[in-house]
Amino acid sequence: MLRISHLSKSFGSNQVIKDLSIDIRQGDVTVLLGPSGCGKTTLLRCIDFLERAESGTLSFADGGAVEFATAAKKEIARCRRRFGFVFQNHNLFSNKTALENVTEGLIVARRIPKPEAVAIGREALARVGLANREDYYPNQLSGGQQQRVGIARAIAAKPDVILLDEPTSALDPELTGEVLDVMKALAEDGVTMLAVTHEMTFAQDVAKRIVFMDGGVIIEDSTPRAFFAKPREERARQFLKRLLPNYGEYTI
Amino acid sequence: MEFTPLYILQVIPELLRRLGVTLWLAAATMLFSTLFGALLAWAKLGKSRVLRALANAYTAVLRCTPTLILLFLCYYGLPKAFAPLGVDLNRMSRFCYSLIAFTLLNGALMSEVIRSTYESIDRGQFEAAATVGMTPFQTLRRIILPQGVYIALPNLGTTMITLLKEASLAFTIGLVDLMGQAKLIISLRYGARALETYLALTLIYWALTFLIARLVSRLERAFGAGRFERAREAAP
């Protein structure tokens, strides 16, 4: 449904993403793994034009393609409609309630009439289990609830793909569960997701596909089963060894 | 002459005849210096090195200039500066000179208030707004400004109060505001009851300052959505 081809991005002289290409299929739950600094987050941000890539093309299965480097404002706006973005530290609008956080973009950017937007917003909040928190401001919510509002905001407009940038990394360990549960429920509903996460359990149990990156390129692209059982690449093995203390102990 | 407390009350209505001048001057200065300060802040936050350097230099110089001296510089300097251009400023009102001088100074101060406020708002909210399709202008108006006004309000209040008080210096170039009126009244009585008159003037300034402080705290509540609401009890 979506193809990114030959994407490159540098910060100064540091090339973070090198000629990377990836296809996202409808209903895929793809988890991006890799050591820190490997370009996972930058990749997500480039896809949603939060960073300007130097080269590369974004093309959609239903026609239409844009160049990352030269896309005009209108094209960027059109592309962004296809994505929802969940930030590591949620970035909720602190002067808006939970419901307003979800409806703001619908009303202001998409010009959906307010009653309709409110209905959509309530439905999105219900999906993340926060139907009873709609008029709470972000500072009245726990970290996990804030991030769930962030997810509700991202899914409200029913985008093609949800991009999640380490959605649980900034949370206390006991709060990650509720966010992961929401992500799992979305995955079961067939929502297409591209997620950067260090939650290995989520990667193992929920992901349909694991993409392992290092040094700005994709090194392995396989199923969780294959990846966690026996990664082909040494770098991936090293990575798993660091993250999963028991990794390798039970294999012969 | 004996100190007559009653005279303090008697002179207040006479002083208040010029209250309008003081308030207008303060309000107009606040308006123009906010606009000017926004322009300077835009230059300071912008990408152009030249504009940034100019705005920073302007702020530094103006902040180092005593208000009274700046007032004199404008009053005596502007007509000379504009004369070669064929503009005759000699008949410009003293109110205008005061307004220009205070705007030049306050613009520099306001630019710092605006810049620091803008920088205090988390960049992430800009990005989040972009991802839901909002334009930078929509983001500024609906997300950033309401939060910014709230953050800036204590600083704004201080600036307003300082301005209101410093504007009393305008009597030195002959503007008859509250202070000018007090000077007039005193000289009409050949210097008699100066203490009572200044005490009355002090009371008026206190009252004005108190009102501004009240207004600011009212505004803080109005713009503080999402900040004053305290954590609610956790519902099951």
Side-chain angles (χ1 to χ4, degrees):
Chain A
M1 90 193 296
L2 176 71
R3 170 169 293 171
I4 289 132
S5 32
H6 304 294
L7 179 89
S8 291
K9 169 71 188 170
S10 310
F11 292 110
S13 58
N14 178 22
Q15 193 171 9
V16 184
I17 296 178
K18 297 168 187 156
D19 196 37
L20 182 148
S21 300
I22 184 172
D23 282 343
I24 307 289
R25 288 176 294 265
Q26 177 133 31
D28 258 5
V29 177
T30 308
V31 166
L32 279 171
L33 292 178
S36 68
C38 72
K40 305 171 301 244
T41 291
T42 308
L43 172 62
L44 284 196
R45 293 173 58 84
C46 284
I47 295 175
D48 210 10
F49 294 89
L50 293 173
E51 306 283 354
R52 270 282 186 169
E54 284 102 51
S55 61
T57 317
L58 174 64
S59 41
F60 300 97
D62 51 4
V66 285
E67 290 297 321
F68 280 112
T70 57
K73 270 185 197 167
K74 276 196 173 168
E75 289 176 297
I76 293 176
R78 218 175 303 136
C79 291
R80 278 182 173 154
R81 280 169 175 250
R82 295 170 177 268
F83 301 117
F85 202 101
V86 179
F87 295 87
Q88 184 176 350
N89 42 10
H90 63 74
N91 290 342
L92 293 182
F93 308 134
S94 56
N95 60 330
K96 303 278 175 191
T97 62
L99 182 62
E100 286 167 347
N101 262 281
V102 181
T103 57
E104 188 71 10
L106 304 174
I107 296 169
V108 177
R110 303 214 179 195
R111 308 202 171 284
I112 295 173
K114 195 172 172 193
E116 206 178 313
V118 167
I120 296 172
R122 290 207 169 114
E123 193 201 316
L125 284 177
R127 265 181 105 175
V128 298
L130 290 174
N132 56 346
R133 290 287 188 277
E134 61 175 57
D135 56 351
Y136 280 50
Y137 285 95
N139 77 342
Q140 297 170 297
L141 299 169
S142 71
Q145 291 171 334
Q146 289 171 344
Q147 190 56 287
R148 279 146 69 194
V149 175
I151 294 175
R153 179 170 67 182
I155 60 172
K158 304 227 164 28
D160 295 350
V161 184
I162 315 279
L163 307 167
L164 301 106
D165 181 15
E166 304 198 27
T168 57
S169 302
L171 296 175
D172 290 341
E174 74 262 32
L175 299 177
T176 57
E178 56 185 275
V179 174
L180 292 172
D181 287 345
V182 166
M183 288 164 63
K184 194 174 174 187
L186 291 178
E188 280 159 7
D189 287 351
V191 175
T192 312
M193 287 193 262
L194 178 59
V196 173
T197 180
H198 295 297
E199 294 293 334
M200 288 301 143
T201 334
F202 179 82
Q204 273 169 314
D205 299 346
V206 183
K208 298 206 179 80
R209 180 181 172 198
I210 302 286
V211 172
F212 182 78
M213 280 177 75
D214 193 15
V217 292
I218 292 174
I219 296 191
E220 246 184 274
D221 185 346
S222 58
T223 61
R225 185 183 290 243
F227 182 80
F228 284 100
K230 197 173 183 359
R232 286 189 300 273
E233 291 281 333
E234 179 57 26
R235 273 181 285 182
R237 270 196 288 276
Q238 292 296 332
F239 174 78
L240 286 179
K241 234 180 222 171
R242 278 197 308 277
L243 272 175
L244 304 171
N246 298 331
Y247 180 75
E249 277 178 20
Y250 307 114
T251 51
I252 304 164
Chain B
M1 189 174 291
E2 221 174 289
F3 177 67
T4 322
L6 194 62
Y7 184 75
I8 298 173
L9 295 178
Q10 284 169 355
V11 79
I12 284 179
E14 240 181 299
L15 287 170
L16 285 179
R17 293 226 300 270
R18 284 289 168 170
L19 174 68
V21 179
T22 293
L23 290 183
W24 269 116
L25 181 58
T29 306
M30 211 56 212
L31 174 69
F32 286 114
S33 55
T34 303
L35 296 175
F36 182 39
L39 195 70
L40 285 171
W42 171 78
K44 286 178 189 178
L45 295 163
K47 285 188 184 130
S48 161
R49 280 189 189 186
V50 182
L51 285 180
R52 211 184 318 154
L54 278 176
N56 283 327
Y58 177 86
T59 307
V61 170
L62 265 285
R63 276 206 291 208
C64 299
T65 313
T67 315
L68 188 56
I69 297 176
L70 183 68
L71 195 60
F72 286 163
L73 286 178
C74 287
Y75 188 58
Y76 295 108
L78 285 179
K80 289 226 161 47
F82 279 88
L85 304 170
V87 184
D88 180 16
L89 292 183
N90 282 311
R91 274 197 258 161
M92 190 162 75
S93 71
R94 292 159 206 276
F95 183 88
C96 283
Y97 279 111
S98 313
L99 177 59
I100 290 170
F102 293 134
T103 300
L104 289 177
L105 176 68
N106 258 299
L109 305 183
M110 285 298 294
S111 75
E112 285 298 280
V113 172
I114 294 169
R115 183 191 60 79
S116 63
T117 301
Y118 182 87
E119 288 185 333
S120 73
I121 292 170
D122 181 23
R123 298 285 316 159
Q125 293 186 48
F126 276 97
E127 291 190 343
T131 62
V132 296
M134 291 165 70
T135 65
F137 179 74
Q138 287 169 337
T139 312
L140 193 68
R141 200 173 69 75
R142 302 183 58 95
I143 309 294
I144 306 302
L145 266 183
Q147 293 179 49
V149 170
Y150 173 79
I151 294 170
L153 266 171
N155 274 331
L156 275 179
T158 312
T159 312
M160 260 200 274
I161 289 168
T162 310
L163 167 69
L164 181 78
K165 292 187 296 182
E166 291 215 331
S168 65
L169 289 170
F171 85 93
T172 53
I173 62 166
L175 181 73
V176 188
D177 62 343
L178 283 174
M179 181 68 189
Q181 178 78 345
K183 291 296 260 187
L184 273 182
I185 291 170
I186 293 165
S187 61
L188 280 174
R189 297 178 197 277
Y190 304 104
R193 308 226 187 276
L195 179 60
E196 289 89 336
T197 312
Y198 285 130
L199 280 172
L201 194 57
T202 310
L203 289 179
I204 295 175
Y205 274 103
W206 280 353
L208 288 178
T209 314
F210 175 75
L211 286 178
I212 293 179
R214 283 294 298 271
L215 177 72
V216 168
S217 65
R218 278 268 174 101
L219 287 174
E220 273 192 53
R221 295 217 152 252
F223 280 96
R227 286 180 190 263
F228 281 108
E229 291 78 5
R230 289 270 49 93
R232 301 187 189 188
E233 287 171 53

